[in-house]
Amino acid sequence: MNRRHRVTVAITVACALTVLAAPAYAAPEPTAGPGASATRQPEKSLEEVRAEIDGLYRQAASATDAYNLAEEQAKKQSAEIVKLAQAIVDGQARIEELKQRAGAAARAQYRNGGIPEEAKLVLTDDPQLFLESAGRLVQGQKATRDLLTELQRRQDDLETYTRDASTEWTRLEANRARQAQTKKLITEKIAAAEKLESQLEAAERERLRKLEQQAQYAAQTAWLESGALKEINRSASAQGKAAIRFATEQIGKPYVWGAEGPDSYDCSGLTQRAWGTAGRGIPRTSQEQWRLLPRISVKDMRPGDLIIYYADASHVAMYIGDGAMVHAPRPGRHVTVAGAGSMPILGVVRPDK
């Protein structure tokens, strides 16, 4: 066992020993009104309460990813609508210019008595003038054809831009509706979890936190004992070091769903901002980070890589070495360092591969 592994295991065991046993927790009974049945609510253990709270926050995390993706798409669609609107304005201006040029040509012909250039060419008896006029006539006819062709193309483009802008606007409004619905769901899940936690006494809330830590330490210990860290002794890239430096500087800042800094973060907001600061743009959500970034095996993981958690890729953290990661855990918690194996690992991605 190398020194890093010994240190990591020692920290894990020491933390696990601090966890207290959890007594049963009785959910507060509603006040019985007149004539109401005095049915006693079944008691829940603190562990059952912890599992319920954790489940609610997990559902909120999945919904947060959907909200963040909808928000990112809405931003792109808004930018696309602006671009299309500018194209429409430019196209209209060009069409007006072409129409003015066509009108000028028509007015010139009218001033010449309506005699076509071809007729005037036939009537001349000056050979030199005939040759010069013939050249200008060919050029003029080509210029007129080009002008009319461009005018038609511009009008077709304008119709396409208008249709595209209408389509993007419809998609944007649908995205906004999804965002509003998802926001409502997130708010409900977080409120339900906070209500459960608020019903606990201060001592029970502290034991709840320790139970949460106990579950994480147990998962971390099992991960370490599996030999997952045996081959992980690689160094971070220059960009990876910059990303780690930024992420660890955020330790202590609160988790806020949908937040991208600088005062608060959600899980993928932290990793995106950290790698963006390091000069590498990555997708906004943990699910998109998992879908789009290059994947590597856990045994090849190095500091700076992103660890994706849970089967639905609803959480992400940054590996910082020695079996540890930095992440924004959930509402009510702050950016912190934890064991990289303290949650179910789906896979690992490398932004700068």
Side-chain angles (χ1 to χ4, degrees), residues 244-317:
I244 292 170
R245 183 164 55 252
F246 179 89
T248 52
E249 286 172 353
Q250 311 313 306
I251 291 174
K253 293 183 178 180
Y255 176 106
V256 173
W257 66 266
E260 304 173 6
D263 300 320
S264 57
Y265 297 89
D266 63 17
C267 66
S268 56
L270 176 65
T271 53
Q272 185 197 43
R273 180 59 64 89
W275 270 101
T277 301
R280 180 61 62 97
I282 64 173
R284 171 63 180 90
T285 72
S286 57
Q287 292 174 349
E288 289 295 278
Q289 290 171 9
W290 172 242
R291 188 173 71 87
L292 298 175
L293 295 178
R295 298 180 186 182
I296 61 168
S297 64
V298 174
K299 68 181 180 64
D300 294 325
M301 184 165 59
R302 73 185 185 195
D305 289 343
L306 303 182
I307 307 174
I308 310 297
Y309 293 97
Y310 301 108
D312 60 357
S314 58
H315 191 71
V316 61

Side-chain angles (χ1 to χ4, degrees), residues 143-211:
T144 301
R145 286 195 303 271
D146 290 347
L147 185 149
L148 294 174
T149 299
E150 185 180 358
L151 180 58
Q152 184 60 53
R153 182 173 63 81
R154 289 284 179 172
Q155 288 175 326
D156 291 343
D157 287 346
L158 194 59
E159 290 177 6
T160 300
Y161 294 149
T162 303
R163 285 195 302 270
D164 289 348
S166 177
T167 300
E168 288 301 315
W169 180 258
T170 302
R171 289 175 56 196
L172 178 61
E173 289 306 302
N175 246 337
R176 284 175 175 162
R178 281 196 297 272
Q179 278 181 273
Q181 193 62 30
T182 305
K183 182 177 180 179
K184 182 174 180 289
L185 176 63
I186 295 167
T187 303
E188 288 174 351
K189 297 298 181 184
I190 293 175
E194 289 175 343
K195 181 179 179 181
L196 271 176
E197 196 162 356
S198 70
Q199 291 172 341
L200 300 174
E201 299 292 339
E204 289 174 322
R205 283 199 294 272
E206 181 59 27
R207 285 194 293 272
L208 184 70
R209 185 182 287 269
K210 290 185 181 297
L211 278 175

Side-chain angles (χ1 to χ4, degrees), residues 82-98 150 154 157-158 161:
V82 170
K83 188 168 73 173
L84 287 168
Q86 186 59 54
I88 289 170
V89 170
D90 293 343
Q92 288 173 329
R94 181 58 176 161
I95 286 172
E96 287 303 314
E97 179 191 344
L98 292 170
E150 185 180 358
R154 289 284 179 172
D157 287 346
L158 194 59
Y161 294 149

Side-chain angles (χ1 to χ4, degrees), residues 97-112:
E97 179 191 344
L98 292 170
K99 285 180 176 178
Q100 288 175 6
R101 285 171 54 189
R107 287 191 297 273
Q109 183 174 339
Y110 176 78
R111 285 195 298 272
N112 289 332

